[in-house]
Amino acid sequence: MKVGNPTRVSCWSIVTATVILLMVLDIRAFGLVAITGSLNRVWGAYEKTLLAAIAFILFLFMDAAAKREITGSRFLDKYVLCAVLSTVSLYIFTYFKYPQQNLTQTVLAGTHFLIVPLALPLYGLLRKQGGSERIFVWMNKVTFVWYCILIFQSIIYLKSGRLFLHIDENIRNDSIRISLNSIGNLMIVYNFNALYSGRAKKKAWYVIQLALGAYCLIMVQQTRAYNVIIGICVAVIIMLHTNTPLKTLRSLILIAACFVVLDQMNIIDTMQQSFSVDNEVYGNGTKARMLATTYYWEAFLKSPLFGQGFINSKVYLTILRGNQGIFNYSDVGFLGLLANTGLLCIAFYIWPLLRWGKQVIGYLADRSKRIDNSFLIAFFIYIAGTSTTLIMTDPQRILLLPFSLAVFEYARNKPALRKEVA
């Protein structure tokens, strides 16, 4: 009888545990722990130094422990190399362009891009597990805790105005507003797909998760762009599972019914009005995005190759956020990335996005692949949709980038990997 290598099993157990740890750290340990002093500098919402360091150590550990086992792919090897070299180039550019920033400030401003090597151990983990389902199981468990805490905090704040979470106070519509971060939003799409496709083994669990996620999306996060993008992803999943005329008709009726309900509840009209600059609640945000579009486009034209580089907000606030100090790269999505990293964003973002787009087109062209890969198609639409605003290269959502790289690459190479196993 062939006995498995206990060292190898231990290696991948450590990889799994570390990935779960990164998910928890990405949401600042659910906001339950106060991070102060020097540690806050490497754990802050905009300085993912701790996560990047753990990801890099995990990459080195896996490379040493896996020995002759191939855990990467040719594309991922090239991508990680290009992304790291691009980041180093931006560090050098920033160091000479902004002399008032010290080296530590420059490094902290750009370390979130150094989390991309995590894609390699993640891809190796998916190969070891024979798919991404176990990772999604853990993501669901982490987000379940996160959803429950957010809902509890939301209710407490509405009743008493008290915060027990260690987060910055952000109020909208007289209630606390908290981001779902990297995986919280994506899991709403995943759970809906699991239920609608019939792949959910524990349906009650997925229904609960979907309900909690939807509540947090609308009532706690209160971000219009996510509401629209996730709504589109849900509609796409419904339409993808239409391999017969009857199912197509059923899907169209379901989408139309949802539209009518939303219209009758005045939600659609309210959403449209929210994008007006005259809107009482959202007007200032809309106006800031319009001004940021012009500002960051001009910033890119001034330095098309390197963009503005890695600017520390405490030293060069007006360069980073404009004279009013209200602009954010993430608010204008890909344009903000262009202003931040210049044409080097081709290595960070455009290259994998084009590769995934080609992959998704292949799924759409084949009816059987279209249904089997409905989540990946919706996942791509989610990524493309958030490219206009709330892009995943933003520090708050950067963990989603290596995860996306691993999931799409595994799906692309799955047929070949199955042959290797056979």
Side-chain angles (χ1 to χ4, degrees):
M1 183 176 68
K2 187 177 179 179
V3 180
N5 188 331
T7 305
R8 188 68 52 80
V9 173
S10 176
C11 162
W12 291 111
S13 297
I14 292 172
V15 172
T16 304
T18 307
V19 170
I20 296 167
L21 174 65
L22 287 170
M23 293 179 199
V24 175
L25 292 179
D26 185 54
I27 49 180
R28 297 175 68 89
F30 305 108
L32 297 173
V33 182
I35 307 300
T36 58
S38 59
L39 183 58
N40 189 47
R41 299 177 68 192
V42 296
W43 196 355
Y46 300 98
E47 298 163 342
K48 296 287 186 179
T49 310
L50 180 61
L51 272 69
I54 294 174
F56 188 69
I57 292 170
L58 179 62
F59 164 71
L60 294 177
F61 166 78
M62 186 217 67
D63 187 56
K67 296 180 181 177
R68 289 177 294 179
E69 183 177 351
I70 300 173
T71 53
S73 73
R74 186 173 297 178
F75 163 72
L76 285 182
D77 290 341
K78 291 179 180 178
Y79 172 83
V80 169
L81 178 62
C82 288
V84 171
L85 289 177
S86 297
T87 303
V88 172
S89 299
L90 283 165
Y91 274 137
I92 296 171
F93 166 78
T94 304
Y95 181 76
F96 287 105
K97 184 170 183 178
Y98 304 105
Q100 292 181 33
Q101 281 186 195
N102 60 43
L103 184 59
T104 300
Q105 290 170 328
T106 300
V107 170
L108 289 175
T111 47
H112 58 285
F113 285 113
L114 293 176
I115 203 171
V116 294
L118 179 63
L120 289 172
L122 270 172
Y123 177 72
L125 183 60
L126 298 190
R127 287 191 59 180
K128 184 69 177 179
Q129 296 179 343
S132 57
E133 288 307 308
R134 287 184 63 186
I135 286 294
F136 278 115
V137 166
W138 278 107
M139 289 173 71
N140 248 340
K141 291 178 180 179
V142 171
T143 52
F144 173 76
V145 176
W146 186 222
Y147 292 155
C148 290
I149 290 173
L150 291 184
I151 293 171
F152 189 50
Q153 173 63 93
S154 177
I155 294 171
I156 292 291
Y157 188 87
L158 283 172
K159 290 186 175 296
S160 65
R162 186 170 66 88
L163 280 173
F164 67 82
L165 294 180
H166 297 277
I167 57 173
D168 295 328
E169 190 170 353
N170 189 356
I171 308 302
R172 175 173 284 179
N173 297 317
D174 298 321
S175 62
I176 191 70
R177 184 185 181 211
I178 311 172
S179 172
L180 298 183
N181 285 71
S182 301
I183 61 176
N185 291 290
L186 178 65
M187 292 312 292
I188 299 172
V189 179
Y190 174 80
N191 289 320
F192 179 83
N193 181 77
L195 283 168
Y196 197 81
S197 65
R199 294 176 184 170
K201 294 180 180 179
K202 300 178 181 178
K203 289 187 178 180
W205 162 247
Y206 283 91
V207 169
I208 291 170
Q209 270 292 85
L210 183 60
L212 293 175
Y215 181 90
C216 289
L217 171 70
I218 298 169
M219 304 304 296
V220 182
Q221 183 169 249
Q222 303 184 69
T223 301
R224 294 164 296 167
Y226 275 130
N227 295 348
V228 172
I229 292 164
I230 291 175
I232 292 172
C233 290
V234 167
V236 166
I237 290 169
I238 292 172
M239 291 306 301
L240 287 173
H241 291 82
T242 55
N243 54 352
T244 66
L246 183 61
K247 287 185 177 180
T248 301
L249 179 61
R250 183 191 67 180
S251 297
L252 290 172
I253 291 173
L254 179 59
I255 293 172
C258 291
F259 186 85
V260 170
V261 170
L262 293 174
D263 186 53
Q264 290 298 311
M265 294 174 66
N266 207 34
I267 293 175
I268 294 177
D269 186 53
T270 302
M271 177 68 74
Q272 289 176 337
Q273 292 179 11
S274 72
F275 288 98
S276 169
V277 293
D278 299 321
N279 186 272
E280 222 173 281
V281 178
Y282 302 97
N284 289 335
T286 302
K287 190 182 297 182
R289 281 173 169 79
M290 293 172 64
L291 295 172
T293 299
T294 302
Y295 177 75
Y296 285 131
W297 176 245
E298 290 175 351
F300 165 68
L301 293 178
K302 289 177 184 176
S303 178
L305 181 57
F306 295 102
Q308 292 184 322
F310 299 138
I311 304 174
N312 184 280
S313 60
K314 294 180 180 178
V315 183
Y316 292 99
L317 178 63
T318 56
I319 296 177
L320 178 63
R321 303 193 185 281
N323 291 329
Q324 301 176 54
I326 59 174
F327 302 153
N328 288 293
Y329 288 137
S330 63
D331 285 346
V332 289
F334 177 66
L335 179 57
L337 181 63
L338 267 178
N340 185 192
T341 64
L343 292 176
L344 291 180
C345 72
I346 293 173
F348 290 127
Y349 199 67
I350 298 299
W351 185 16
L353 195 67
L354 291 175
R355 182 178 176 86
W356 301 337
K358 184 179 178 181
Q359 188 174 336
V360 165
I361 290 173
Y363 295 150
L364 291 170
D366 188 317
R367 180 172 291 179
S368 61
K369 289 183 179 179
R370 185 192 314 164
I371 295 174
D372 291 341
N373 295 282
S374 57
F375 171 68
L376 280 178
I377 296 170
F379 191 1
F380 175 76
I381 291 171
Y382 176 90
I383 294 169
T386 54
S387 293
T388 57
T389 182
L390 307 171
I391 192 169
M392 68 176 176
T393 51
D394 177 75
Q396 284 191 339
R397 290 164 284 274
I398 194 67
L399 186 63
L400 198 56
L401 179 57
F403 178 78
S404 304
L405 288 160
V407 169
F408 276 96
E409 193 66 9
Y410 178 82
R412 187 187 192 94
N413 297 330
K414 188 161 51 177
L417 294 175
R418 284 176 176 170
K419 289 180 181 177
E420 286 181 13
V421 174

